[in-house]
Amino acid sequence: MSNARVAASYVQLLYEYLSSRGHDPVRVLGPLPAQAGHFVPLPAWQAMLARAQTLDAAPALGLRIAQGISARHFGVLGYAALACNTLGDALQRLERYHASVYDVNPAQVQPMAQGVCIEWGVERGRPGALVDETAVASLVQLARDMTGEPLAVAQVGFVNAAPADKAPYERFFGGPVLFEQPTTRLVLGLQHLALPLRKSDPGLLALLDEQAERILRDVAMPASASAPGDAWRATLVSLIRQGRTSLADLASAHHMSARSLQRRLAEQGSSFQALLDDTRHRLALGYLRDPALELAEIALLLGYSEQSAFTRAFRHWTGLAPAQWRKQNAAASL
């Protein structure tokens, strides 16, 4: 599993847990990994968890660590998930972009008779009980945090050997917990998929919007600078982050009909698609200059459901794939 890794934002959860237990996490684990580095190699994460276990030998350490999870530990993916309407929608985003937070074994989300199954195989190896238990418990706790519901799972399965006492696991997950399974799996009931997600932190969303607006100001594109549609472009900033990128969405935000907005844009020599593409293009250039953002995260921030769709659009705008553009501009800035 030499290429496996986890997000630095996710690792921060362990530092916060140790601090809550009265330990100095920096003294125990060393300096907190820089968020700009984005990822921490899996061996380093395994070593951190093992070190924490020497200080807290009580059973089910991973479950206790996970209780402090929130959307911010999942980075942009966590914030994007909170923009979804239901837990089921958020789980679909997890399947597409989980590697931006937890790049160990690929996750697959499959519907089944009793609900939905999220499954991790062992094709890239077995990271160990502490890593697996922290990851699965964190996902369950995040779902509880996003929905505001206690959310008892239908079933949990781990590939690792059974602990001496299963009771803490059954209490935490609220359902049967199996061990020595062929894959790691989490089954949620159908009734949970339709649960609406609570609103995200307004202050956090304001910060994301402020960052996007700053990018729009800083990225110089003569063809669109001081364009007449800047008022509508400002509204698009938050709509794009939420994945609401239709003409109807923008018109509704301005309390007008889609036809009226089309007419107003046409009077200014523009169109909704041109405004949307130009705004996304300018944001993309700014986001790509931030080395802490993965391409999958940038796709989410731009409202694309798939990274491949972002890549196609960016190639159309610039003639280059996003990774190529980032590499060229990084070299030019040296």
Side-chain angles (χ1 to χ4, degrees):
M1 307 193 74
S2 58
N3 294 325
R5 55 190 189 169
V6 298
S9 59
Y10 177 64
V11 170
Q12 185 174 350
L13 178 66
L14 179 57
Y15 282 72
E16 293 169 3
Y17 172 76
L18 289 174
S19 181
S20 72
R21 304 289 291 183
H23 300 290
D24 179 349
V26 174
R27 184 174 181 180
V28 174
L29 304 175
L32 180 69
Q35 299 297 307
H38 194 81
F39 282 106
V40 172
L42 179 63
W45 176 231
Q46 290 169 317
M48 289 179 183
L49 288 171
R51 177 62 179 139
Q53 193 167 44
T54 65
L55 302 174
D56 189 345
L61 172 62
L63 310 189
R64 295 194 300 282
I65 294 172
Q67 289 177 342
I69 200 77
S70 66
R72 63 187 173 83
H73 295 107
F74 279 68
V76 172
L77 176 57
Y79 306 143
L82 280 173
C84 294
N85 292 323
T86 67
L87 181 59
D89 294 337
L91 290 175
Q92 288 184 337
R93 287 203 168 187
L94 165 74
E95 181 181 28
R96 293 187 185 117
Y97 298 114
H98 79 284
S100 69
V101 178
Y102 185 78
D103 190 16
V104 180
N105 278 308
Q108 292 188 331
V109 180
Q110 301 289 346
M112 54 189 305
Q114 61 196 113
V116 65
C117 176
I118 308 166
E119 188 170 35
W120 297 264
V122 294
E123 56 266 44
R124 295 179 66 184
R126 299 182 179 221
L130 264 178
V131 172
D132 287 344
E133 292 170 9
T134 303
V136 176
S138 292
L139 180 56
V140 171
Q141 190 64 35
L142 181 64
R144 290 169 176 165
D145 182 61
M146 290 193 301
T147 61
E149 297 288 337
L151 201 149
V153 307
Q155 186 187 94
V156 178
F158 290 105
V159 299
N160 308 297
D165 184 7
K166 296 182 183 179
Y169 296 86
E170 293 169 347
R171 284 196 301 270
F172 179 88
F173 289 110
V177 183
L178 309 176
F179 294 89
E180 299 183 38
Q181 300 297 297
T183 60
T184 298
R185 63 203 312 258
L186 170 64
V187 181
L188 298 175
L190 282 172
Q191 72 276 18
H192 296 135
L193 302 184
L195 286 174
L197 302 191
R198 65 175 179 80
K199 295 295 184 182
S200 183
D201 180 349
L204 171 63
L205 296 183
L207 286 175
L208 291 176
D209 289 345
E210 181 182 344
Q211 178 193 28
E213 289 166 2
R214 185 173 62 252
I215 288 171
L216 290 178
R217 291 194 300 269
D218 293 345
V219 175
M221 295 183 65
S224 57
S226 302
D230 278 350
W232 291 312
R233 189 193 310 279
T235 304
L236 268 179
V237 167
S238 61
L239 292 177
I240 285 172
R241 177 181 41 72
Q242 297 171 51
R244 298 170 57 200
T245 55
S246 72
L247 172 67
D249 289 325
L250 182 58
S252 176
H254 282 269
H255 308 289
M256 60 196 306
S257 69
R259 181 170 295 181
S260 294
L261 177 57
Q262 275 184 316
R263 185 174 62 252
R264 294 278 298 279
L265 285 166
E267 290 170 355
Q268 297 176 1
S270 185
S271 68
F272 172 74
Q273 193 59 52
L275 180 67
L276 176 62
D277 286 347
D278 181 64
T279 304
R280 277 175 157 169
H281 183 187
R282 295 170 70 184
L283 289 172
L285 297 179
Y287 289 138
L288 284 168
R289 290 190 172 98
D290 183 348
L293 288 175
E294 292 286 299
L295 296 183
E297 292 179 323
I298 294 173
L300 282 171
L301 287 170
L302 294 176
Y304 291 104
S305 60
E306 301 282 354
Q307 183 179 326
S308 58
F310 165 51
T311 299
R312 287 193 299 273
F314 194 83
R315 195 185 294 275
H316 173 73
W317 299 328
T318 67
L320 296 172
Q324 293 174 297
W325 188 94
R326 170 176 268 176
K327 184 176 181 180
Q328 286 189 9
N329 282 269
S333 64
L334 292 178

